[in-house]
Amino acid sequence: MKEKIDSIVTSLNDKIHPDLTLNDLEALRVEYLGKNGILTSQMSLIRTLPNEEKPKFGQWINDAKLSIEHVITEQKNILLTKAMNEQLKKETLDVTMPGLNFKKGSLHPLTLVTQDLEDYFIGLGYKVAEGPELELDKYNFEMMNLASDHPAREMHDSFYVTQNTLLRTHTSPIQARYMEKSKGQPIAIIAPGKTYRRDPDDRTHSHQFMQCEGLVIDKNVTFAHLKETLLGMARHIFGEERTIRLRPSYFPFTEPSVEVDVSYVDSDGKTEWIEVLGAGMVHPNVLTMGGYDPKVYRGFAFGIGLERIAILKYKIDDIRQFYTNDLRFLNQFKGVL
Ligand code: DAH
């Protein structure tokens, strides 16, 4: 009897081969272990056996069942693993393949100069302010002490959008806006941004350019503070060996007003001067219009052309280079901080 059962197991083993599909294996399981399966039908013989042989017979059948289940499951697992491996092979990514190379960019020289100025002034406790590029006549001119009939308006040949709005001709209107907002409180700000004038576009002029405004208002602000602040700024940007020179000038929004030159040593070793910005003590009219009592408060202000700084610092010979996005130009600023 044992042989009979063993031979059933062996017959199953003989039928197992690698070409069987999952369906074939399922069919084999039913053939052997199903309700009317080859092994299951052996169970009915148990009734014909003497009682003492029944447990042993039951044990054989059970062992055979486990063994058949084991063989079929094992073969099913082999098939499933094989299918999974094939799928993985099909879907494999070759991570050693060279990827797309992202070209690393560089900061624009005007951004570099802006950040450098911000570093210096933030270190002194200034805030960075901003204002709209499309500006009201009121802030761009009137509150900067340039009344509508003021002859100095000619310095600002402007792009008007409507009668009262224009592309700002300088960053100075940010002074007026900030004063208005500060309601008589002390101020220390810089305000970098784009500005526009009806200028020809050539090597030294552009209808769009950048400025950085500076404004400090407090009770005891003097011209000496202005000078020391600008000296520190020039040294921060151009190097500690530099010095500055102030020349009397005129701006409607400051009194007295100065133009500021920075020293440099030319190729013959001679000290020369180059103009970098305009500055002065805030005009009493500007303070009054901004809501500050000029008998109590004083201020200094300055306006720097950022292209000018970049041109001097990086020895650029044509202002148009800043705006044409020529990579041969821009790539030179990689890694410059
Ligand atoms: N706004 C002036 C210009 O565009 C520059 C300037 C000069 C700004 C003196 C100032 C200043 O704040 O005090 O030419």
Side-chain angles (χ1 to χ4, degrees):
M1 211 149 246
K2 173 91 164 64
E3 287 87 77
K4 173 72 186 154
I5 293 171
D6 285 346
S7 75
I8 291 175
V9 175
T10 314
S11 75
L12 183 264
N13 282 339
D14 289 345
K15 286 182 189 165
I16 296 287
H17 59 86
D19 291 342
L20 296 181
T21 65
L22 284 174
N23 282 343
D24 296 338
L25 288 167
E26 181 55 19
L28 278 177
R29 197 189 62 75
V30 174
E31 186 184 336
Y32 280 81
L33 306 176
K35 234 196 214 155
N36 302 313
I38 301 173
L39 187 69
T40 322
S41 52
Q42 293 294 310
M43 272 304 274
S44 54
L45 294 177
I46 202 162
R47 271 180 284 120
T48 65
L49 295 177
N51 273 348
E52 64 273 16
E53 289 191 14
K54 280 181 182 167
K56 212 193 284 163
F57 182 76
Q59 183 69 45
W60 290 337
I61 295 278
N62 214 25
D63 287 348
K65 189 178 163 215
L66 288 177
S67 156
I68 288 171
E69 268 172 359
H70 178 77
V71 169
I72 292 177
T73 315
E74 197 153 73
Q75 191 58 26
K76 275 187 181 171
N77 284 342
I78 289 173
L79 280 188
L80 288 172
T81 311
K82 207 168 112 193
M84 190 168 80
N85 283 339
E86 267 162 23
Q87 191 175 358
L88 281 177
K89 213 182 216 164
K90 259 194 274 164
E91 291 176 4
T92 299
L93 283 177
D94 182 359
V95 290
T96 62
M97 223 163 87
L100 287 179
N101 218 350
F102 282 103
K103 292 225 169 78
K104 217 172 158 191
S106 55
L107 291 177
H108 192 278
L110 293 174
T111 306
L112 293 170
V113 169
T114 308
Q115 289 184 347
D116 203 15
L117 278 169
E118 288 178 353
D119 272 355
Y120 172 71
F121 282 104
I122 287 171
L124 292 181
Y126 285 55
K127 293 219 156 59
V128 178
E130 50 183 32
E133 286 172 38
L134 191 59
E135 187 53 283
L136 292 172
D137 185 282
K138 169 181 151 191
Y139 293 111
N140 195 78
F141 293 128
E142 268 169 53
M143 285 186 72
M144 297 316 292
N145 204 29
L146 279 131
S148 55
D149 56 353
H150 197 294
R153 279 203 179 193
E154 305 232 332
M155 284 155 56
H156 298 284
D157 232 358
S158 329
F159 292 111
Y160 272 89
V161 177
T162 68
Q163 205 177 352
N164 284 321
T165 48
L166 71 158
L167 293 175
R168 68 181 175 202
T169 57
H170 51 177
T171 43
S172 301
I174 303 173
Q175 288 191 32
R177 285 179 173 274
Y178 210 87
M179 278 188 244
E180 208 174 58
K181 200 173 81 177
S182 300
K183 307 218 179 311
Q185 291 305 303
I187 292 175
I189 54 157
I190 56 161
K194 292 194 195 90
T195 50
Y196 304 83
R197 281 185 209 171
R198 241 178 237 275
D199 271 342
D201 287 298
D202 58 27
R203 262 167 49 100
T204 51
H205 295 86
S206 164
H207 66 279
Q208 183 204 302
F209 54 100
M210 286 192 78
Q211 287 190 338
C212 181
E213 197 72 14
L215 174 69
V216 172
I217 296 181
D218 212 329
K219 285 191 175 140
N220 298 308
V221 175
T222 70
F223 202 92
H225 294 134
L226 170 63
K227 189 178 170 197
E228 193 60 22
T229 304
L230 295 178
L231 176 63
M233 183 196 79
R235 290 186 169 162
H236 177 83
I237 295 176
F238 295 110
E240 286 302 316
E241 71 288 0
R242 303 299 184 109
T243 186
I244 58 170
R245 179 174 82 172
L246 310 186
R247 281 180 291 104
S249 184
Y250 171 74
F251 298 103
F253 25 87
T254 44
E255 182 58 37
S257 303
V258 285
E259 262 159 352
V260 181
D261 302 339
V262 173
S263 69
Y264 70 97
V265 179
D266 73 6
S267 48
D268 300 332
K270 227 174 99 210
T271 296
E272 294 287 355
W273 300 94
I274 187 143
E275 185 194 324
V276 291
L277 62 99
M281 299 306 290
V282 179
H283 195 290
N285 290 351
V286 173
L287 284 173
T288 308
M289 283 186 275
Y292 289 78
D293 180 353
K295 292 203 190 70
V296 182
Y297 281 97
R298 285 205 231 162
F300 67 72
F302 52 88
I304 312 164
L306 296 190
E307 280 81 354
R308 185 127 244 248
I309 301 284
I311 282 171
L312 294 175
K313 185 157 176 173
Y314 302 121
K315 301 190 170 52
I316 294 162
D317 58 5
D318 189 330
I319 196 171
R320 290 168 296 195
Q321 299 271 30
F322 291 120
Y323 318 115
T324 44
N325 285 336
D326 185 335
L327 287 179
R328 290 168 303 178
F329 171 72
L330 295 173
N331 275 331
Q332 299 175 69
F333 297 91
K334 262 188 194 162
V336 178
L337 278 178

